[in-house]
Each structure stands twice: as C-alpha cells, then as structure tokens.
Amino acid sequence: MPHRHKIRINGIVQGVGFRPFVYRLANECSIAGFVNNIGSGVWVEAEGEQKDLNTFRDRIKKEIPPLAVITEFNFEETAPLGETGFIIKSSEHGRKATAFISPDVGVCEDCLSELFDPKDRRYRYPFLNCTNCGPRFTIVHGIPYDRSNTSMQVFPLCHECHEEYRDPKNRRFHAQPNACPKCGPSLSLHYGNGKKVETGDPIGELVSFLRKGKIVALRGIGGFHLVVDAQNDDAVRELRRRKGRAEKPFALMAPDLEFIRKFCLISEEERKTLCHHIRPIVLLRARPDHALAPSIAMGHNRLGFMLPYTPLHYLLLRGNFEALVMTSGNFSEEPIAMGNNEAMERLAKLADIFLLHDREILQRCDDSIAGISTCGPQILRRSRGYVPAPVLLASPIRKQILACGGELKNCVALARGNAVFLSPHIGDLDNPSAFAFFKNSIGHLQKLLEITPEVIAHDLHPEYLSTKWALEQKNIPLVGVQHHHAHLASVMAENGVEEKSIGIILDGSGYGTDGTIWGGEVLVGDYENFERFAWIKPTALPGGEAAIRQPWRMALSYLHAVYERNFLDMDLPFLRSRTQEEIMVIVQMMERGLNSPLTSSCGRLFDAISAVLDIRCEINYEAQAAMELEATMDESEKDIYLEIKQLEVEAGALPIQFLFRAVVEDMLRGEEREKIATRFHLSLGEIFLKAALKAREFCGVNRVGLSGGVFQNIFFFNYLYGRLLEEGFQVLTHHQVPTNDGGLALGQAVIANAKASLKSF
Ligand code: ZN
Ligand code: ZN
Ligand code: FE
C-alpha cells in the first residue's frame, strides 16, 4: 500500500547539487514522484512503501551534499497518485524567493584533476567548475538560482555541456556556471594602456611578465587582485609605492601546503582552515628565516597565506612560483575593483598588465581572513566563501530588519525569520567609493533576499556615515544601538544566547551613551538593555583624531595622567625623539582641556604602551601600533605585575594607571621590551578577569562574551579566554562573524528586533 509525502526542505539547497542528490536517493530507495526548486528551497513529493519513505527521508538528512545546509525540514501525508518513476522538475518562478544562495566555493578535487589532464576536454580551461564548486554569490543577480539569473546567461551551453547539464548522473547536472573552452568565458591579456597582448597563451605570457617583476591586475571571482612575485622585493616595494600602502602587510598565495610550510609554521587547525573550500587567508606564524621579500610584512611575525581557489590560480602558480603577493585590486581602503573597464580605469596607475575575463562579477567580494585561536578559527574579515550564508538565530525575529553597521570595516546585515545575512566586507565609509558600495550592497541584498526592511538599526555615533544614511530614510522606524552593546549582542547571538550576559568589550572607539568615546568596557546586558558595569579610566585624546594616528600623543596623555608634569625629565627613548616644544604643546592642550576629549578606549591604551616602549610612535594603518606591540612579545615570559595581582577591582572606572606605571618603571629600569610587552598583555588580562569576577558577584551571571577589535590580538584573547575558563565562566566567543566592527551589524539587528518588539512599531 503506497504512501505519498510532501517534503519541504529549506536552507542552502539550491546550486549545490541537491536535486540530483534527491533524484539518486529516490532511485536507490524505490521512490516515485518529483523534486523541484521553489522560492524557499526544495520541494519533494515522494511516493512509495512506508519503510522506503522513512529511509528516503533519513538518508536526505544524513547524506546531504557537501555544500548544502538544511535549516528546515517538514513533511506531511497526502493522497497517493499511483506514480512510477522519479523526475526533476524545472524551477518555478514568480514565487516568493527565500532560498539561501550558496557562497562562492573553491575549485574541487574532481575539477582540478580534469584541469591538469591533457586528455580532458577542459584541460587547462580556467573557468571549469561543477555542482560542487565554483562561483555562486558573485555571479547571481536574482533567485531562484538558475543560469538565467546569473552572469553566465550570455554564454549559451554547447552540445556537450548541455548534455552534462541535463544528465542527473553527471557531476555537472544543473551546474549553472557550467562551461567549456567551446562555449564559456575566456581570458585576455592587456597592457596598461588597454592594448591587447597578442598571444595564444595568456597565462604563459603572464608568468613571464611576473618573473620580470611586473605588477599584474588579475580578475578573479569577487574582484581584481594585484599580483607580484613574492620573492622579488623590488616588485613588492614598487607595489607599495603605487598602491599608497606604506607598511600594511600583503596577503600571499602559494601553490600548495608544502610551499606554505617553507615560509610558515602550520598547526593542524590552521591546515584545515587553509584547505577548506572557503579558502580564506589564514594568518600563520612566519619562520624567522623565510625567503620571501622582506617588505611583505614589516614589523610582523605573522604572514597571511591562502591556497589557490580558482582554476586560474592553479594554472598561474603551479610549477611557476613559490608564492605570489595577492592583494585587493584597489588604492588603499577603497573597495576592490570588479568590472573590466572599471579596473582598467581605476587601476591604470597601479598595474602594468591586466588579465581580464568576460564572466561578469555582479557583487564584489574580497578575500576573507581568518586567524586561529585556542578555541578555533576566528574570522577577521568575512567575505568571499562565507557570504551570503546566514547566521542562524536561536529564535526568529518579528520584523524584517536592516542593520547599517559601523564606520570602519563596515558590513551591513539584513535579517528575516531566524536568519541574519551579512554583506561582504565593505570597508571604511569615509571613502566615497566605499560609501557607494555600502548603498549598493543594501540594494543588492534586499533584492537577492527579498527582504523589505521594516526597521532600520544604526550606530549612535552622529558622525558615522552609516548613521547619517539611516537618518535620511523616511517612513521606516529607526533604532539607535550603542556600539559596545551591539558588540555584546553580536557575540551572544551567534552563540544562540538571549539571556543576560557579561560582556568584556574592548576596541578602539565607539560612541557612548554619555557622548564620550568608549572602548574598554565591561557591560552586563541582554538584547533589550545593558548597563555599563566597569570601564578603563578615561584619559585625554589630545588632538582627537590626531591622537589615533600618533600613538606618542597617547603615551603623553597617560604619562601626564599618572605623573602630571613630573614625567618630563624621564629617560624614555620615545620622549627623546620628540622636541620639547612638541611635547609642551600637547601637555598644555591637555591641561587647558583644549581638543582633548576623554576616552576609555582599550585600543588607545595599547597605542600608549607601544609608544612608551618605543615600538611604534606614528601609524600608517589601523591598529599598527598594537599589532607591532603584539609581535614584539617574548611569549615565554610569565610575569604579571605584583601591583596588578594585588589590585582590588570595583565597579566603575578601572585603575589602569597602576598598570601603566608598572610598564614605565620597567622601562626606566632597562628591562627588555619583549618582556615588558608580555607583562603588559598578561596584566591587562588579569584586570579584566577581576572585573568579570566582580560583575558575576554583583549580577549572578556566569556567562561572559568577548568582543571588539582588541580580541584580534590572538595572544591576549587566548590568555583572557583561558583565565575565564579557569574561573569557571561560560565564555562566548566569535566564530561566525568578526570580533571587530565587521560583526557589529549582527548585534544591531537582534537589538533592534528586541527594542522594536517592546515599542510595538
Ligand atoms: Zn568541481
Ligand atoms: Zn561547452
Ligand atoms: Fe567596535
């Protein structure tokens, strides 16, 4: 006696080989019926004996294709139709489209062996892909995910490709970007003036240009890379000069793990992250004697490496280079270039040679970056490979929400039901083209996800361009969200926690509810509310923004706060490299309270220490002073300052001056900077541990979330995380979104939902 089940499956189930997978299982389980893509996911009607139906359903869930994610699985009985045979129906249009589109996926092993197989018809074809790999998010302009909704629509399939596309037993069945040399996209090589390089072998030609030290703009999956030979220091320096990027480290790509091992140490967790099909840049510990160009990562003991993720990368690297610099195709802090004409224009002064292709990129997506801490991979930049997979919430939100994010490392989010979709990394909004990308991303994601915001969440900072943009939107209720509250809610949300938690939120700056700049905060709160339990005792930011670019000003600020004018004749190296006038201008500025706003920023404390140790007194990229301070540490040092061990910590302003004083005294005593740097990290961790213990005593909450850009410092993160565990805390950390402001929008979204529900907009 046959039964028939209607099965609805939602999640990332389109464009990942889900229908052929269901088709195969149906045949193996003797099930009749059909499978179909619908707007919200996949629809199956299955008819057969009860026990076969049960096996069929179980196997769908258990044997799910590698790239698929099931978020909902429902079924119900319906009347049997007496069907025989199982078919795959073509996609249905016009329905409300809520299916998740898959992120872009690094080339798979099967495709890779075809790429290097001289007998294969796709031998050395740079655009080969299949259902298990290739571009997705970056080539889609609408859903359902069908070829007609992608930038592949202009390449009609040839006969052979069409046969593969139609055959449910083929690896390329319904692989929307399927292509071959006969019918698919192709490469072309150009000089900087646009003139085509006449050659039958653009990749071979490109290799010889790179060997000569030329700078190449290479069109990839989510935009252009600027590429140079990583062992040619002159080429790397020239790239720095042209890009306007004095010292910030460059990302690297090597042909395989063995080459990366020549330059870096790789732990098991790091190996897994490098090899994952997401293919992020992974920050690895550099071997001190590595043979790469010295100017790749000055002042750093880490290198950012990724493995090739497109067929083109493999063709370019394998057998040709040990490593290439692969940095975003842009001037510093601008969004990555993606169109051919756009790149030829914007990158004209940067690159000598352009490798173009004609598969349009519809949404720019930078490389993602991950670092590995003691509790696993942490995403520092969440873009290609992650976007647009959602962060799933413990319980659904009531409204459709747009969260605008912060100002630096901006990233926006759209939320509906139990899913929060974060945009790719957008960048620093004070850059006009980044701001244009911000607006464009909001539009593109609204369309792709069919989300119409009913509430808009924004930061409280009145000068953030994201805030200003939100305030211009008419007829949509707004919710302003305090910056560090959003950080706390973000780390709670991605861990499925909605109940009151303690948050140790440490970053460079965020607008406080009292109008001052916060950044060294211990909060207690849930999504609706929070209180500020403790914070770094505020110090002056002499000259405002200038103090951020010039850490020596922060060192003066702390010195003055602790010693008043008595520090002026101290024998500190960084003081000797400033003139008396320079120093007195700052001192008088602070004493008169001129342009010296107060801040509790933890980032600025790291800056001050970095300058006092004479490691970095002026910066040319964000967080440089703190990163170089981290790189200076002697990690075998275990000493915590005695005065910090004995320190009593109460709610309110944390007496950070004791820590600062201990560092200065060490320095005056002639202690090694490597040891002082470590003692500072450990002692600061102890202070926040004590604050968390105090907060637990006060509010009876044993859960503490760590968030904010300071936790990108892996050593500091590992130490505080370990100490909190030792004290029996449940510790919430970021794994799905960045701990920096790139993760802010997630927190804004859940807070806006909670507040909007209260106010019943
Ligand atoms: Zn493949
Ligand atoms: Zn073809
Ligand atoms: Fe922040």
Side-chain angles (χ1 to χ4, degrees):
M1 166 78 182
H3 290 258
R4 190 175 178 92
H5 287 174
K6 290 180 176 179
I7 308 172
R8 241 185 57 194
I9 306 164
N10 292 346
I12 301 179
V13 290
Q14 294 187 6
V16 290
F18 206 85
R19 286 178 302 162
F21 156 73
V22 171
Y23 173 89
R24 271 196 299 275
L25 285 189
N27 283 331
E28 286 170 29
C29 302
S30 317
I31 297 294
F34 67 84
V35 55
N36 191 8
N37 272 350
I38 56 171
S40 63
V42 163
W43 176 268
V44 185
E45 292 207 9
E47 191 164 328
E49 294 302 321
Q50 190 64 56
K51 69 168 196 344
D52 293 334
L53 280 168
N54 293 346
T55 321
F56 177 60
R57 286 200 320 267
D58 285 350
R59 287 186 62 187
I60 292 181
K61 285 186 263 189
K62 261 193 225 130
E63 297 173 23
I64 178 168
L67 305 181
V69 179
I70 295 179
T71 57
E72 275 178 86
F73 189 105
N74 301 305
F75 75 96
E76 58 182 74
E77 284 273 344
T78 179
L81 302 175
E83 273 178 340
T84 56
F86 193 91
I87 58 163
I88 297 177
K89 287 195 178 178
S90 60
S91 294
E92 223 173 87
H93 291 267
R95 282 215 180 201
K96 182 134 183 82
T98 53
F100 304 149
I101 285 176
S102 159
D104 305 299
V105 181
V107 58
C108 75
E109 286 300 323
D110 290 333
C111 286
L112 206 52
S113 41
E114 289 170 353
L115 184 67
F116 288 105
D117 175 4
K119 290 188 293 295
D120 195 275
R121 70 188 189 93
R122 292 189 178 85
Y123 176 57
R124 296 186 67 82
Y125 179 56
F127 300 93
L128 91 172
N129 63 80
C130 73
T131 322
N132 301 321
C133 75
R136 297 286 188 279
F137 171 68
T138 50
I139 57 163
V140 174
H141 60 73
I143 46 179
Y145 174 66
D146 275 336
R147 195 171 176 104
S148 57
N149 282 330
T150 71
S151 56
M152 289 300 290
Q153 66 178 4
V154 298
F155 301 101
L157 290 165
C158 70
H159 178 71
E160 284 113 309
C161 286
H162 192 66
E163 287 303 303
E164 294 167 338
Y165 185 87
R166 278 170 25 136
D167 176 6
K169 286 182 282 303
N170 194 290
R171 200 173 90 245
R172 298 199 162 86
F173 175 74
H174 279 244
Q176 306 303 345
N178 189 23
C180 78
K182 223 196 250 179
C183 67
S186 56
L187 296 174
S188 61
L189 195 63
H190 300 259
Y191 295 105
N193 60 11
K195 195 170 153 263
K196 200 167 168 187
V197 181
E198 293 305 337
T199 169
D201 178 16
I203 294 172
E205 202 67 32
L206 187 62
V207 168
S208 60
F209 279 121
L210 284 168
R211 286 229 176 91
K212 283 181 215 144
K214 298 288 181 204
I215 299 175
V216 170
L218 184 80
R219 196 181 200 199
I221 289 253
F224 276 79
H225 279 118
L226 289 167
V227 186
V228 293
D229 180 353
Q231 294 181 303
N232 183 337
D233 199 47
D234 290 339
V236 177
R237 279 176 195 283
E238 179 61 14
L239 177 60
R240 287 205 175 281
R241 193 187 63 76
R242 293 193 201 169
K243 203 170 143 84
R245 176 155 155 160
E247 288 175 308
K248 196 174 176 183
F250 282 135
L252 298 152
M253 185 181 275
D256 59 40
L257 274 180
E258 292 322 303
F259 280 100
I260 300 181
R261 283 210 171 90
K262 289 175 70 171
F263 310 118
C264 296
L265 302 167
I266 307 178
S267 71
E268 178 52 19
E269 192 73 35
E270 286 161 346
R271 187 196 63 78
K272 273 196 243 161
T273 310
L274 278 166
C275 294
H276 194 280
H277 64 68
I278 290 174
R279 288 288 202 271
I281 296 165
V282 182
L283 300 181
L284 303 168
R285 204 166 276 270
R287 290 186 188 276
D289 54 348
H290 69 71
L292 294 171
S295 49
I296 284 175
M298 293 168 282
H300 282 252
N301 52 5
R302 286 175 196 275
L303 292 171
F305 260 106
M306 61 186 148
L307 287 172
Y309 55 86
T310 70
L312 177 58
H313 295 154
Y314 278 100
L315 293 171
L316 182 57
L317 276 117
R318 206 177 255 190
N320 295 318
F321 297 99
E322 296 196 0
L324 292 175
V325 166
M326 293 278 259
T327 184
S328 303
N330 54 11
F331 280 102
S332 290
E333 311 312 326
E334 279 184 1
I336 186 168
M338 64 175 181
N340 285 342
N341 295 336
E342 175 202 352
M344 295 291 300
E345 218 166 275
R346 281 179 55 199
L347 307 181
K349 291 202 174 70
L350 294 179
D352 305 307
I353 299 291
F354 289 76
L355 187 72
L356 308 181
H357 64 67
D358 50 2
R359 182 180 66 199
E360 284 311 311
I361 299 168
L362 299 176
Q363 183 70 356
R364 49 169 63 81
C365 215
D366 256 298
D367 293 317
S368 295
I369 307 177
I372 312 297
S373 72
T374 47
C375 64
Q378 310 228 3
I379 305 170
L380 305 176
R381 181 161 81 196
R382 188 182 185 278
S383 277
R384 180 189 48 75
Y386 294 102
V387 176
V391 175
L392 297 176
L393 301 173
S395 45
I397 57 176
R398 303 192 189 173
K399 304 269 185 186
Q400 302 200 357
I401 292 174
L402 164 65
C404 298
E407 177 84 349
L408 301 179
K409 296 189 167 65
N410 179 277
C411 170
V412 301
L414 283 154
R416 174 192 59 216
N418 63 345
V420 181
F421 301 88
L422 288 106
S423 71
H425 165 79
I426 289 172
D428 299 350
L429 296 187
D430 57 353
N431 182 297
S433 44
F435 188 56
F437 181 27
F438 164 85
K439 291 185 277 191
N440 169 283
S441 292
I442 292 173
H444 184 76
L445 283 173
Q446 283 187 18
K447 187 175 154 220
L448 200 63
L449 302 165
E450 297 204 323
I451 290 178
T452 312
E454 298 164 286
V455 176
I456 297 179
H458 62 84
D459 195 271
L460 291 181
H461 202 306
E463 294 304 319
Y464 278 9
L465 289 171
S466 53
T467 305
K468 290 183 173 171
W469 180 88
L471 294 174
E472 283 166 14
Q473 307 309 304
K474 300 289 174 232
N475 306 321
I476 304 178
L478 300 178
V479 176
V481 179
Q482 199 280 323
H483 189 99
H484 303 93
H485 185 204
H487 274 301
L488 171 60
S490 173
V491 74
M492 288 165 64
E494 73 158 85
N495 286 285
V497 171
E498 296 175 349
E499 301 78 27
K500 197 186 234 190
S501 304
I502 300 168
I504 302 179
I505 314 298
L506 308 178
D507 65 6
S509 63
Y511 198 78
T513 50
D514 57 1
T516 69
I517 298 298
W518 297 4
E521 312 301 311
V522 180
L523 309 180
V524 179
D526 52 23
Y527 295 168
E528 279 164 27
N529 290 303
F530 75 97
E531 26 177 331
R532 192 183 189 203
F533 180 81
W535 56 90
I536 287 180
K537 186 170 188 243
T539 41
L541 200 58
E545 285 290 310
I548 299 176
R549 288 189 304 274
Q550 300 178 327
W552 63 270
R553 291 183 184 231
M554 282 317 298
L556 289 188
S557 169
Y558 268 96
L559 283 167
H560 190 259
V562 174
Y563 299 99
E564 296 184 338
R565 286 194 177 202
N566 299 324
F567 74 88
L568 289 170
D569 48 9
M570 278 181 182
D571 186 24
L572 291 168
F574 94 98
L575 284 175
R576 288 197 301 268
S577 55
R578 300 281 143 199
T579 65
Q580 197 63 19
E581 292 75 41
E582 250 182 328
I583 292 169
M584 286 319 291
V585 166
I586 302 296
V587 168
Q588 284 164 4
M589 199 164 155
M590 291 189 291
E591 287 175 349
R592 293 180 190 149
L594 292 174
N595 194 13
S596 296
L598 292 178
T599 182
S600 59
S601 164
C602 189
R604 296 297 84 77
L605 172 64
F606 274 83
D607 287 353
I609 301 294
S610 190
V612 165
L613 299 191
D614 202 27
I615 292 168
R616 178 53 63 176
C617 289
E618 307 213 10
I619 61 168
N620 53 54
Y621 61 91
E622 199 202 352
Q624 183 178 13
M627 283 157 89
E628 293 184 6
L629 177 66
E630 184 188 3
T632 304
M633 277 189 295
D634 168 2
E635 294 185 17
S636 64
E637 172 65 26
K638 298 281 177 268
D639 259 13
I640 292 161
Y641 290 116
L642 193 60
E643 42 275 71
I644 301 305
K645 280 189 189 160
Q646 294 167 343
L647 192 69
E648 288 281 338
V649 164
E650 299 295 334
L654 298 168
I656 222 75
Q657 64 274 23
F658 292 103
L659 175 54
F660 186 81
R661 192 194 294 264
V663 167
V664 171
E665 282 168 11
D666 251 0
M667 195 65 190
L668 293 174
R669 213 181 293 125
E671 185 58 277
E672 287 170 34
R673 294 189 311 178
E674 292 75 7
K675 288 196 168 144
I676 307 177
T678 317
R679 287 173 193 165
F680 165 72
H681 278 78
L682 300 176
S683 302
L684 185 67
E686 285 304 307
I687 293 178
F688 281 103
L689 175 73
K690 286 178 191 224
L693 288 166
K694 208 63 177 178
R696 175 165 76 181
E697 199 180 304
F698 263 81
C699 62
V701 173
N702 190 43
R703 199 172 24 250
V704 52
L706 303 182
S707 188
V710 167
F711 289 109
Q712 295 177 106
N713 181 323
I714 290 181
F715 178 86
F716 180 68
F717 171 89
N718 284 344
Y719 181 73
L720 184 53
Y721 175 76
R723 291 290 286 128
L724 288 163
L725 289 184
E726 279 170 22
E727 294 295 340
F729 283 99
Q730 179 198 349
V731 190
L732 310 176
T733 63
H734 285 290
H735 296 287
Q736 300 188 58
V737 304
T739 190
N740 58 48
D741 286 4
L744 220 49
L746 170 62
Q748 291 176 343
V750 292
I751 291 171
N753 175 60
K755 295 202 171 185
S757 306
L758 276 184
K759 285 191 210 159
S760 67
F761 282 146

